[in-house]
Amino acid sequence: QVQLVESGGGLVLPGGSLRLSCAASGSSFVIYTMAWYRQAPGHQRDLVADISGYEYTTYADSVKGRFTISRDNANNTVYLQMSSLKPEDTAVYYCAARIRELGRGISDYWGQGTQVTVSS
């Protein structure tokens, strides 16, 4: 079974930058769309950005021009480069991926989440 493992969260000052990473591991799988979501306390989980297998990208309006999603297909990894961070970006960030596994069909997988806190 595929696992997604995130890293790179932490505490950062307003205006600062962070890069999140999410690596998929397992055997005999193909990754289609990869995405980052976030969930702040008391709020629903919202899409931040996604990237297709052809590297088409979409972004939430709130992060356009500040965040960049990218992927390394050779290493089954997706990144989220976050710049000009604001306190309202504080949330738990989750990686997600739509994956086809040999003999199992297509499923959506989620990482465990990584905390990003933007505060002075």
Side-chain angles (χ1 to χ4, degrees), residues 9-91:
L11 173 64
V12 63
L13 294 171
S17 299
L18 277 178
R19 189 175 84 152
L20 305 182
S21 301
C22 172
S25 63
S27 61
S28 302
F29 63 91
V30 174
I31 304 177
Y32 297 117
T33 299
M34 304 186 83
W36 289 96
Y37 288 76
R38 67 185 180 187
Q39 187 169 19
H43 289 76
Q44 66 184 17
R45 190 174 298 186
D46 292 323
L47 177 67
V48 175
D50 63 22
I51 182 166
S52 73
Y54 297 101
E55 302 198 16
Y56 294 126
T57 59
T58 62
Y59 295 92
D61 287 342
S62 59
V63 307
K64 282 180 182 176
R66 300 189 298 121
F67 291 9
T68 302
I69 189 170
S70 60
R71 63 192 288 171
D72 177 353
N73 291 326
N75 291 298
N76 298 317
T77 300
V78 63
Y79 303 98
L80 186 68
Q81 178 67 47
M82 304 184 292
S83 303
S84 302
L85 282 161
K86 305 175 181 180
E88 52 264 43
D89 295 317
T90 295

Side-chain angles (χ1 to χ4, degrees), residues 94-108:
Y94 296 90
C95 168
R98 178 152 293 176
I99 294 174
R100 177 170 58 85
E101 295 174 86
L102 181 65
R104 293 175 63 97
I106 297 175
S107 303
D108 292 333

